[in-house]
Amino acid sequence: MNNYYVTTAIPYVNDKPHLGHAMEFVMADVLARRARQQGKQVIFSIGTDEHGGKIAEKAAELKVKPEQLSDQMSLEFKELAKNLSLSNDRFIRTTDEAHEQRAQIIWKALASDIYKANYVGWYCTGDEEFFTETVVKENKGVCPDHNRPYEKLEEENYFFKLSAYTDAVREAVEKASFAVVPDTRRNEILSVLKEGLDDISISRPKDKIGWGIPVPDDPTQVMYVWFEALMNYITVLGYPENKDFKDFWPADVQVIGKGILRFHAAIWPAMLLALKLPLPKQLYVHGYITVAGKKMSKSLGNAISPDEVIGKYGSEAFRYYFLRHIPSYSDGDFTWETFDAAYNNELANELGNAVQRTMVMVQKYQNGLIGDIPPAEHDMAQYEEALDQCRFDRALDEVWEQVRGLNQYIDEEKPWEIAKPAAAGGDEEHLREVLAYQCSNLLEIADLLTPFMPDTAAKIQGIFKEGIIRPIEGTLFPKQEIKKQ
RNA sequence: CGCGGGGUGGAGCAGCGGCAGCUCGCGUGGCUCAUAACCACGAGGUCACAGGUUCGAGUCCUGUCCCCGCAACCA
């Protein structure tokens, strides 16, 4: 009960990290940090997915070995995690020996739900690729790129009896023993599950795609990447025998993007049921990020790298923006304008300045001495509830209610008036109470901010916690001049 | 009739049956402790369009138009 396990999806290493990966990392980090704050034992795992034809192809393009490509890309994701101040305690790579071995153990454990059959598909030798019925139909049976008819090809694959588990998975989603949030995603997957799922092919012939984990006892086949990648969530804990696995599975929350919902809300739970393992308690599905209203893409040339954004105001501001201004339950948009505005208005003016004015007043009027700080008094039920539901945006709204409230309080109490000599209407004792309340409120805010902006929270605590002001160098969030165009 | 999400003041969003709300931006005023910051007030919306249900509809139903994603082994 006191253990907490949170994961992100493991990004595929065919491309560099983008804003979506960064946001997902940060969201999961909030959950992990909050759980630690609540005194739980936490495992927070991220990683990279590195096998498959796509990687092999990409490596060939770059004239390197797949190993080299994935080493390099995996490193980029590790760098990103560091730059975002992630607190992950694991980073799994699907090329880790332990993962490969354990994936084979899992395969064997699933044996009674795996069978061999022919996969029939439409193949274009020009593309060296299978195409779906729909695509073939759309193109009227002729590949538009090569102007040759698709061939009907058969390939021997292993299949997983996904169909046998759809009802059980559906029930778990309906009863919310496996809670899919938000509701829109829950409804989406329920409608898929109601239609029923076909068995899925889970291996590829080794001579076609060599870059994968070998199927146990069959050297001609490798595991299909997706099937094997999903297993990372338990192999990283050391399934089946490791203590961590026993202590931390099922996951408390798995964080994914909407594009891979089916894999995590249909196939993965089916695999777990087949392994007779409990399902994750919650699957949180975030949306996608657009840039100035457009989908990020290379062809549009509008891709922004996370490092570029982090570089502007630092990781704390990055975390803040993507957690509060990208809606937790739907798609969101990034523009430099709104990012600048959020930084200057909310971080610098509202929060940073509240800290600054409080700090300076205590220094100026009381030589930096705060005295007894009263305990926090706000009802944060809304904040807690928001976080339980992974509504990071709402949780931060609640925190900012307090920030604004504090600024209002200061304006109403007018400490600079009370600080005047008694003859001029001042009141030393009342002043001390007002300032102590301000400090108390800031410490409470720092507490609430800890999962979101750990460095900022620590700085605020550093200033006020000891009952005497310990000033910091400069200001929390130096205001930036915004250049127009 | 492939599936889903959405169209609410200049911008971004909330509201999902009972006087249309928040943040930014804009205007006016206040304050002076503070990062030219903070606080108050104000202007600005026929809630995409057309029907319907209802005592009463952004809010429910029907239809239309527009935008944006996803469409099975491709992450």
Side-chain angles (χ1 to χ4, degrees):
Chain A
M1 202 60 223
N2 206 37
N3 289 345
Y4 190 90
Y5 177 40
V6 55
T7 68
T8 63
I10 52 173
Y12 203 44
V13 292
N14 66 337
D15 219 336
K16 295 186 177 210
H18 60 237
L19 289 176
H21 297 127
M23 178 174 78
E24 181 168 313
F25 279 179
V26 164
M27 286 169 158
D29 191 52
V30 171
L31 298 174
R33 286 178 185 274
R34 176 178 181 238
R36 287 193 203 98
Q37 197 182 19
Q38 292 171 332
K40 293 179 182 165
Q41 279 305 113
V42 175
I43 293 183
F44 169 25
S45 174
I46 65 174
T48 41
D49 177 11
E50 309 184 3
H51 291 297
K54 264 261 153 71
I55 303 303
E57 262 171 47
K58 180 100 181 187
E61 253 174 56
L62 299 170
K63 298 192 168 61
V64 295
K65 289 184 171 173
E67 288 89 333
Q68 287 173 293
L69 176 64
S70 45
D71 278 351
Q72 185 209 323
M73 294 306 289
S74 190
L75 204 62
E76 297 224 26
F77 282 95
K78 280 184 179 161
E79 279 294 309
L80 174 64
K82 206 175 82 195
N83 295 342
L84 289 168
S85 316
L86 276 224
S87 64
N88 61 298
D89 16 46
R90 306 281 165 99
F91 189 105
I92 187 173
R93 301 180 53 184
T94 55
T95 51
D96 288 341
E97 213 184 318
H99 173 78
E100 298 189 344
Q101 287 171 352
R102 293 181 192 281
Q104 291 182 321
I105 293 172
I106 292 170
W107 183 285
K108 284 182 188 162
L110 290 170
S112 58
D113 287 300
I114 291 175
Y115 60 94
K116 213 169 188 182
N118 280 327
Y119 176 77
V120 185
W122 296 95
Y123 193 77
C124 171
T125 18
D127 289 301
E128 291 195 69
E129 211 181 325
F130 280 99
F131 289 90
T132 62
E133 198 74 29
T134 358
V135 171
V136 173
K137 219 175 260 176
E138 238 168 56
N139 296 325
K140 300 194 168 70
V142 180
C143 175
D145 297 332
H146 301 91
N147 201 25
R148 61 177 5 153
Y150 294 103
E151 298 167 58
K152 198 165 197 176
L153 262 194
E154 287 193 19
E155 188 179 282
E156 195 159 64
N157 285 176
Y158 288 98
F159 281 74
F160 172 64
K161 283 188 197 161
L162 181 61
S163 57
Y165 292 95
T166 46
D167 283 344
V169 174
R170 180 173 48 77
E171 208 173 291
V173 174
E174 273 170 354
K175 287 195 319 206
S177 57
F178 171 51
V180 179
V181 289
D183 278 344
T184 50
R185 308 270 80 110
R186 179 173 176 270
N187 294 339
E188 194 176 328
I189 200 63
L190 277 176
S191 85
V192 170
L193 290 166
K194 272 173 196 154
E195 281 174 34
L197 295 167
D198 296 332
D199 293 347
I200 50 165
S201 156
I202 55 168
S203 74
R204 305 308 309 274
K206 193 176 170 64
D207 55 4
K208 281 194 180 136
I209 293 173
W211 182 235
I213 301 177
V215 168
D217 308 318
D218 186 346
T220 70
Q221 300 267 323
V222 299
M223 297 184 198
Y224 172 54
V225 231
W226 249 121
F227 194 64
E228 159 251 305
L230 287 167
M231 299 173 187
N232 92 84
Y233 304 123
I234 56 175
T235 63
V236 72
L237 295 178
Y239 172 87
E241 85 291 355
N242 197 295
K243 187 162 186 304
D244 280 345
F245 174 71
K246 288 167 188 145
D247 290 347
F248 285 88
W249 190 261
D252 291 85
V253 187
Q254 299 205 270
V255 180
I256 62 164
K258 66 176 184 181
I260 53 178
L261 177 65
R262 298 166 73 106
F263 293 94
H264 288 81
I267 299 173
W268 173 231
M271 290 165 67
L272 288 167
L273 290 175
L275 289 167
K276 306 209 175 356
L277 293 176
L279 305 187
K281 293 172 198 158
Q282 190 179 49
L283 179 70
Y284 163 62
V285 189
H286 67 253
Y288 284 164
I289 299 164
T290 53
V291 172
K294 296 227 153 78
K295 193 181 172 184
M296 276 187 287
S297 77
K298 284 179 194 156
S299 50
L300 284 171
N302 66 346
I304 296 177
S305 81
D307 284 339
E308 198 181 342
V309 181
I310 296 169
K312 187 155 188 185
Y313 302 124
S315 70
E316 297 279 297
F318 182 102
R319 295 169 63 105
Y320 175 77
Y321 182 87
F322 284 91
L323 291 166
R324 184 165 191 211
H325 290 287
I326 301 295
S328 306
Y329 278 8
S330 59
D331 293 346
D333 193 42
F334 175 88
T335 65
W336 287 107
E337 288 72 22
T338 51
F339 185 57
D340 287 336
Y343 178 86
N344 275 332
N345 296 326
E346 292 155 23
L347 294 181
N349 293 348
E350 292 181 329
L351 176 61
N353 187 48
V355 169
Q356 184 76 3
R357 65 200 299 214
T358 299
M359 184 177 88
V360 170
M361 280 192 271
V362 177
Q363 285 176 314
K364 201 178 266 189
Y365 304 145
Q366 297 180 166
N367 288 313
L369 196 69
I370 304 165
D372 288 339
I373 301 174
E377 58 178 28
H378 293 90
D379 172 15
M380 293 321 291
Q382 302 261 13
Y383 168 92
E384 299 295 343
E385 199 186 321
L387 275 181
D388 287 339
Q389 299 299 316
C390 299
R391 301 189 81 153
F392 308 102
D393 51 353
R394 292 282 171 89
L396 280 171
D397 285 347
E398 289 299 320
V399 178
W400 250 257
E401 281 295 312
Q402 279 215 49
V403 175
R404 290 163 162 277
L406 174 58
N407 277 321
Q408 283 167 1
Y409 174 83
I410 296 173
D411 265 62
E412 278 161 23
E413 291 292 338
K414 302 185 177 38
W416 53 91
E417 295 278 343
I418 325 174
K420 289 176 178 169
D427 182 341
E428 249 178 63
E429 181 51 27
H430 187 211
L431 175 66
R432 207 202 62 75
E433 281 169 15
V434 169
L435 293 182
Y437 173 81
Q438 289 177 220
C439 296
S440 157
N441 203 169
L442 284 170
L443 285 171
E444 188 181 2
I445 288 165
D447 221 36
L448 299 170
L449 242 30
T450 295
F452 296 89
M453 296 192 281
D455 295 348
T456 302
K459 278 186 191 166
I460 296 174
Q461 284 164 346
I463 295 170
F464 300 104
K465 204 170 193 165
E466 300 304 324
I468 187 160
I469 297 292
R470 311 179 112 168
I472 48 163
E473 289 278 317
T475 49
L476 228 43
F477 297 101
K479 191 149 180 182
Q480 304 290 315
E481 282 300 319
I482 296 167
K483 287 177 212 135
K484 295 264 175 187
Q485 299 298 328

